[in-house]
Amino acid sequence: MKKNSIEEIHVLRALAFLAVVLQHSIGHYLSEPDTTLSDGVMFTLFLLISKFAVPVFIFITGLVLFYNYDGPLRYGSFLQKRLKDIGVPYLFWSLIYAAPALLQSTGLFTGVQQFAGLAFTGKASYHLWYIVMIIPFYVTFPLWRWVIRNVQSRILTSGRAIAAMVLLAAVYVYGMTLIWPIYQAAEQWNLPVLTPMLTEYADRNSLYFFYYFVLGAVSGLALTHWREWLRRNGPLVYAVFFSLSAYLTYRVVAGFENNPASQNHYEDLLLLRPVTAVFLIVSILVAYKFGIRAAESAKGLTRRMLWMVSHYSYGAYLIHALVLTCSTLLSDVLLPQVNVTLRMILAFILCSAMSVLATFALSRIPFLGQWMTGLGKAKKKPQPVPGLSADSMKG
């Protein structure tokens, strides 16, 4: 039996995609020589309001998978669909991004070997790490489902469920403090596969992001209770969110340097930091509350635009790094001598719009469209599909 669409997921998915583009637009302009202190402060604020993107995508993946797959699971069909809708477009765009390096290869075998390494690690482009990180959640979904269902059967009240999630959050945040010691120890071990997973590729190790997936899973299993809890605890959620935002803004801006030259540092906002992890968990709650209200109130053009961005978000995510290069060049041409923040905003708007429109156009190409976007020819009325997982990015 087909489940009802979760309306707020469309809003969350669209906003998370836009937040990713905003972060990457900021990343392009961070090292501009004419960046001022005021630009640095604005970048900090923009980063804070967009930092929810990756956790929300992972959260959406957990929520929609557990919401949709509450009955028997045909694992082969499940993986086959993800390979077709997620894996094939990922490999296609990995090849596009890797093409300049592959053209310099000394032979076919060397080129194939090099591409396999880039695709396996997500190193073909800076943004593809996310796909490599999210895939293990799909592969191990039956295990996650078995564990979470067994725990659920032993937690019989909502109060106990909340307590369990708070305790797990504490364990997760504490785990962030152990990442650097583990990194140092893994470097000394120098073990194949394990050492790279904990050092060079730590940022795409799905275990470092598991809490967002579990939070989504629990929310998907008890969607009505989840929504009601957010409505009742809105003031507390907002208070914690704005308090942490103020604290992190102070931490980041206090680290800016003016002598001997202006230098802005943003290390305090890295994903795998204890305080940042707390902030990101709270950000998911705030984003979901906003998603509920937006889904209830968005009408007309605003609603159609949000649903369109949501539907084409996976392909747009894969494409946007390529489009961003053009967008920043165009922004610099259109706004010469204008401050860095305004140029960044224009590049963000251009990149977001062109990425979605390019995905829309590519998806309409017979047969090849699905290879490139995971969508194929656009349907008259986009339907939500489970789960930046591709499922969390696309409809």
Side-chain angles (χ1 to χ4, degrees):
M1 181 177 176
K2 187 175 180 61
K3 294 284 192 78
N4 292 329
S5 172
I6 306 173
E7 293 294 297
E8 60 267 23
I9 293 300
H10 294 287
V11 178
L12 283 176
R13 190 183 290 125
L15 294 179
F17 166 72
L18 295 174
V20 166
V21 178
L22 179 57
Q23 289 183 57
H24 293 164
S25 300
I26 293 171
H28 173 83
Y29 285 100
L30 283 181
S31 57
E32 286 288 295
D34 53 342
T35 302
T36 64
L37 178 62
S38 59
D39 291 319
V41 173
M42 290 303 299
F43 285 169
T44 301
L45 296 176
F46 279 128
L47 284 171
L48 282 170
I49 64 173
S50 63
K51 208 66 183 175
F52 71 90
V54 166
V56 161
F57 275 137
I58 302 170
F59 170 87
I60 291 173
T61 303
L63 187 153
V64 184
L65 285 178
F66 275 79
Y67 177 77
N68 282 338
Y69 291 95
D70 59 348
L73 176 67
R74 297 174 59 190
Y75 186 57
S77 299
F78 175 83
L79 285 184
Q80 184 180 16
K81 178 172 179 55
R82 271 74 209 164
L83 175 63
K84 182 179 70 173
D85 293 348
I86 302 172
V88 173
Y90 166 71
L91 291 174
F92 176 86
W93 287 101
S94 293
L95 183 60
I96 296 296
Y97 288 111
L102 297 178
L103 290 174
Q104 300 177 20
S105 299
T106 56
L108 179 61
F109 179 77
T110 303
V112 171
Q113 190 177 39
Q114 184 179 1
F115 174 70
L118 292 173
F120 184 76
T121 60
K123 287 267 187 175
S125 180
Y126 61 85
H127 68 304
L128 297 179
W129 71 271
Y130 177 84
I131 312 301
V132 172
M133 182 275 295
I134 203 68
I135 284 175
F137 285 117
Y138 289 101
V139 175
T140 60
F141 174 56
L143 177 61
W144 284 106
R145 198 168 76 144
W146 180 80
V147 171
I148 291 174
R149 280 181 165 184
N150 272 274
V151 173
Q152 181 190 26
S153 66
R154 291 168 171 76
I155 299 177
L156 303 178
T157 66
S158 58
R160 290 181 180 180
I162 293 170
M165 291 306 296
V166 171
L167 178 60
L168 186 61
V171 172
Y172 176 72
V173 172
Y174 176 71
M176 296 297 101
T177 67
L178 303 178
I179 288 179
W180 179 243
I182 291 173
Y183 180 99
Q184 292 177 312
E187 277 192 322
Q188 296 177 350
W189 300 336
N190 196 27
L191 298 173
V193 181
L194 182 60
T195 291
M197 281 181 59
L198 298 173
T199 55
E200 184 180 0
Y201 303 110
D203 62 340
R204 58 211 69 193
N205 185 335
S206 59
L207 292 177
Y208 290 154
F209 299 91
F210 82 90
Y211 184 79
Y212 311 123
F213 182 81
V214 173
L215 182 61
V218 173
S219 303
L221 289 171
L223 191 59
T224 302
H225 294 292
W226 163 250
R227 289 167 170 164
E228 181 58 31
W229 185 88
L230 284 176
R231 288 191 176 99
R232 285 189 286 105
N233 293 277
L236 176 61
V237 169
Y238 285 127
V240 175
F241 174 77
F242 287 116
S243 297
L244 287 171
S245 297
Y247 172 73
L248 286 171
T249 300
Y250 172 80
R251 282 282 301 268
V252 173
V253 174
F256 290 173
E257 299 178 22
N258 292 319
N259 293 307
S262 176
Q263 292 185 356
N264 301 335
H265 306 280
Y266 303 89
E267 289 84 358
D268 284 304
L269 299 182
L270 293 175
L271 289 174
L272 302 180
R273 297 240 174 166
V275 176
T276 309
V278 177
F279 173 74
L280 294 176
I281 293 170
V282 179
S283 295
I284 293 175
L285 309 184
V286 172
Y288 203 96
K289 278 187 62 65
F290 181 85
I292 292 174
R293 297 197 61 173
E296 293 171 346
S297 60
K299 306 293 181 184
L301 180 62
T302 301
R303 185 180 183 86
R304 289 196 297 273
M305 289 180 64
L306 284 171
W307 263 243
M308 181 177 180
V309 174
S310 171
H311 183 60
Y312 296 106
S313 58
Y314 181 53
Y317 178 85
L318 294 173
I319 294 169
H320 88 274
L322 190 62
V323 176
L324 184 59
T325 302
C326 302
S327 301
T328 52
L329 289 173
L330 187 56
S331 178
D332 293 341
V333 169
L334 294 174
L335 298 178
Q337 309 304 317
V338 175
N339 75 69
V340 173
T341 299
L342 291 178
R343 280 152 49 203
M344 180 278 295
I345 293 173
L346 179 58
F348 156 69
I349 295 171
L350 291 172
C351 183
S352 301
M354 290 192 295
S355 297
V356 172
L357 291 174
T359 304
F360 166 76
L362 292 173
S363 71
R364 300 182 71 84
I365 300 174
F367 184 66
L368 289 177
Q370 188 164 11
W371 285 21
M372 293 185 280
T373 67
L375 290 170
K377 188 174 181 179
K379 300 177 182 178
K380 291 183 179 179
K381 184 178 180 182
Q383 297 294 328
V385 177
L388 232 26
S389 73
D391 280 350
S392 64
M393 284 188 178
K394 67 187 212 39

